[in-house]
Coordinates of all heavy atoms in Angstrom, one line a residue:
I1 N -6.1 -8.7 17.1 CA -7.3 -8.3 17.7 C -7.5 -9.0 19.1 O -8.4 -8.5 19.8 CB -8.5 -8.5 16.8 CG1 -8.8 -9.9 16.5 CG2 -8.4 -7.6 15.5 CD1 -10.1 -10.2 15.8
H2 N -6.8 -10.0 19.3 CA -7.0 -10.8 20.6 C -6.8 -9.8 21.8 O -5.7 -9.2 21.9 CB -6.0 -11.9 20.7 CG -6.2 -12.7 21.9 ND1 -5.1 -13.5 22.5 CD2 -7.2 -13.0 22.8 CE1 -5.5 -14.1 23.6 NE2 -6.8 -13.8 23.8
G3 N -7.8 -9.7 22.6 CA -7.7 -8.8 23.8 C -8.2 -7.4 23.5 O -8.3 -6.6 24.4
K4 N -8.4 -7.1 22.2 CA -8.9 -5.7 21.8 C -10.3 -5.8 21.3 O -11.1 -4.8 21.5 CB -7.9 -5.2 20.8 CG -6.5 -5.1 21.2 CD -5.6 -4.5 20.1 CE -4.1 -4.5 20.6 NZ -3.5 -5.8 20.6
V5 N -10.6 -6.8 20.5 CA -12.0 -7.0 20.0 C -12.5 -8.3 20.6 O -11.9 -9.3 20.6 CB -12.0 -7.1 18.5 CG1 -13.4 -7.4 18.0 CG2 -11.4 -5.9 17.8
E6 N -13.7 -8.2 21.2 CA -14.3 -9.4 21.9 C -15.4 -10.1 21.1 O -15.8 -11.2 21.3 CB -14.8 -9.0 23.3 CG -13.7 -8.7 24.2 CD -12.9 -9.9 24.7 OE1 -13.1 -11.0 24.3 OE2 -11.9 -9.7 25.5
F7 N -16.0 -9.3 20.2 CA -17.1 -9.9 19.4 C -16.6 -10.0 17.9 O -16.2 -9.1 17.3 CB -18.3 -8.9 19.4 CG -18.9 -8.7 20.7 CD1 -19.8 -7.7 21.0 CD2 -18.6 -9.5 21.8 CE1 -20.4 -7.5 22.2 CE2 -19.2 -9.4 23.1 CZ -20.1 -8.3 23.3
L8 N -16.7 -11.3 17.4 CA -16.2 -11.6 16.1 C -17.1 -12.5 15.4 O -17.7 -13.4 16.0 CB -14.8 -12.3 16.4 CG -14.1 -12.9 15.1 CD1 -13.5 -11.7 14.3 CD2 -12.9 -13.8 15.6
S9 N -17.2 -12.4 14.1 CA -17.9 -13.3 13.2 C -17.0 -13.9 12.2 O -16.2 -13.2 11.6 CB -19.1 -12.6 12.5 OG -20.2 -12.5 13.2
L10 N -17.2 -15.2 12.0 CA -16.5 -15.8 10.8 C -17.6 -16.1 9.8 O -18.2 -17.1 9.7 CB -15.9 -17.2 11.2 CG -14.8 -17.1 12.3 CD1 -14.1 -18.4 12.5 CD2 -13.7 -16.0 11.9
A11 N -17.8 -15.0 9.0 CA -18.9 -15.1 8.0 C -18.9 -13.7 7.3 O -18.6 -12.7 8.0 CB -20.2 -15.4 8.5
S12 N -19.2 -13.7 6.1 CA -19.5 -12.4 5.4 C -20.1 -12.7 4.1 O -21.3 -13.1 4.0 CB -18.3 -11.5 5.3 OG -18.7 -10.2 5.3
R13 N -19.4 -12.6 3.0 CA -20.0 -12.7 1.7 C -20.2 -14.2 1.3 O -21.1 -14.4 0.4 CB -19.2 -12.0 0.7 CG -19.0 -10.5 0.9 CD -18.1 -9.8 0.0 NE -16.8 -10.3 0.1 CZ -15.8 -9.8 -0.7 NH1 -16.0 -8.9 -1.7 NH2 -14.5 -10.3 -0.6
G14 N -19.4 -15.1 1.8 CA -19.5 -16.5 1.3 C -19.8 -17.5 2.4 O -20.2 -17.1 3.6
E15 N -19.7 -18.8 2.1 CA -19.9 -19.9 3.1 C -18.6 -20.2 3.7 O -17.7 -20.7 3.1 CB -20.5 -21.1 2.3 CG -20.5 -22.4 3.1 CD -21.2 -22.3 4.4 OE1 -22.3 -21.8 4.5 OE2 -20.6 -22.7 5.4
P16 N -18.4 -20.0 5.0 CA -17.2 -20.2 5.7 C -16.7 -21.7 5.6 O -15.5 -21.9 5.6 CB -17.4 -19.8 7.1 CG -18.9 -19.8 7.3 CD -19.4 -19.5 6.0
L17 N -17.6 -22.7 5.6 CA -17.1 -24.1 5.6 C -16.5 -24.5 4.3 O -16.0 -25.6 4.2 CB -18.3 -25.0 6.0 CG -18.9 -24.8 7.4 CD1 -19.9 -25.9 7.7 CD2 -17.8 -24.8 8.4
L18 N -16.6 -23.6 3.3 CA -15.9 -23.9 2.0 C -14.4 -23.6 2.1 O -13.6 -24.1 1.3 CB -16.5 -23.1 0.9 CG -17.7 -23.6 0.2 CD1 -18.3 -22.6 -0.7 CD2 -17.3 -24.9 -0.6
C19 N -14.0 -22.9 3.1 CA -12.6 -22.5 3.2 C -11.8 -23.8 3.6 O -12.1 -24.4 4.6 CB -12.4 -21.5 4.3 SG -10.6 -21.0 4.5
P20 N -10.7 -24.1 2.8 CA -10.0 -25.4 3.1 C -9.4 -25.4 4.5 O -9.2 -26.5 5.1 CB -8.9 -25.4 2.0 CG -9.4 -24.5 0.9 CD -10.3 -23.5 1.6
D21 N -9.1 -24.2 5.1 CA -8.4 -24.1 6.4 C -9.3 -23.8 7.5 O -8.9 -23.4 8.6 CB -7.3 -23.1 6.3 CG -6.1 -23.5 5.5 OD1 -5.7 -24.7 5.6 OD2 -5.6 -22.7 4.8
I22 N -10.6 -24.0 7.3 CA -11.6 -23.5 8.3 C -11.4 -24.2 9.7 O -11.5 -23.7 10.7 CB -13.1 -23.6 7.8 CG1 -14.0 -23.0 8.8 CG2 -13.4 -25.1 7.6 CD1 -13.8 -21.5 9.0
E23 N -11.1 -25.5 9.6 CA -10.9 -26.3 10.9 C -9.7 -25.7 11.7 O -9.7 -25.6 12.9 CB -10.8 -27.8 10.6 CG -12.1 -28.3 10.1 CD -12.0 -29.8 9.9 OE1 -11.2 -30.5 10.6 OE2 -12.8 -30.4 9.1
K24 N -8.6 -25.4 11.0 CA -7.4 -24.9 11.6 C -7.7 -23.4 12.1 O -7.2 -23.0 13.2 CB -6.3 -24.9 10.7 CG -5.8 -26.2 10.3 CD -4.6 -26.2 9.3 CE -4.2 -27.6 8.9 NZ -3.1 -27.5 7.8
M25 N -8.5 -22.7 11.4 CA -8.9 -21.4 11.8 C -9.7 -21.4 13.1 O -9.5 -20.7 14.1 CB -9.7 -20.7 10.8 CG -8.9 -20.3 9.5 SD -10.0 -19.6 8.2 CE -8.8 -19.1 7.0
L26 N -10.7 -22.4 13.2 CA -11.5 -22.5 14.4 C -10.6 -22.9 15.6 O -10.8 -22.3 16.7 CB -12.6 -23.5 14.2 CG -13.7 -23.1 13.2 CD1 -14.5 -24.4 12.8 CD2 -14.5 -22.0 13.8
A27 N -9.7 -23.8 15.4 CA -8.8 -24.1 16.5 C -8.0 -22.9 17.0 O -7.7 -22.8 18.2 CB -7.9 -25.3 16.0
Y28 N -7.6 -22.1 16.1 CA -6.8 -20.9 16.5 C -7.5 -19.9 17.3 O -6.9 -19.0 18.0 CB -6.2 -20.3 15.2 CG -5.0 -19.4 15.5 CD1 -3.7 -20.0 15.8 CD2 -5.0 -18.0 15.4 CE1 -2.6 -19.3 16.1 CE2 -3.9 -17.3 15.7 CZ -2.7 -17.9 16.0 OH -1.6 -17.2 16.3
T29 N -8.9 -19.9 17.2 CA -9.7 -18.9 18.0 C -10.0 -19.4 19.4 O -10.6 -18.6 20.1 CB -11.0 -18.6 17.2 OG1 -11.8 -19.8 17.2 CG2 -10.8 -18.1 15.8

């Protein structure tokens, strides 16, 4: 989606900070 979608949310049904890889995910964005 990089370059195709500009508006993105990291959230939906659960709490995103519970994801073990959330810090690596944030770095990748």
Side-chain angles (χ1 to χ4, degrees):
I1 65 172
H2 181 207
K4 303 179 180 73
V5 178
E6 292 287 1
F7 298 167
L8 176 70
S9 272
L10 298 187
S12 206
R13 297 176 297 179
E15 166 54 50
L17 296 187
L18 274 170
C19 180
D21 289 318
I22 189 63
E23 294 185 23
K24 294 177 182 177
M25 291 175 173
L26 290 169
Y28 201 72
T29 66

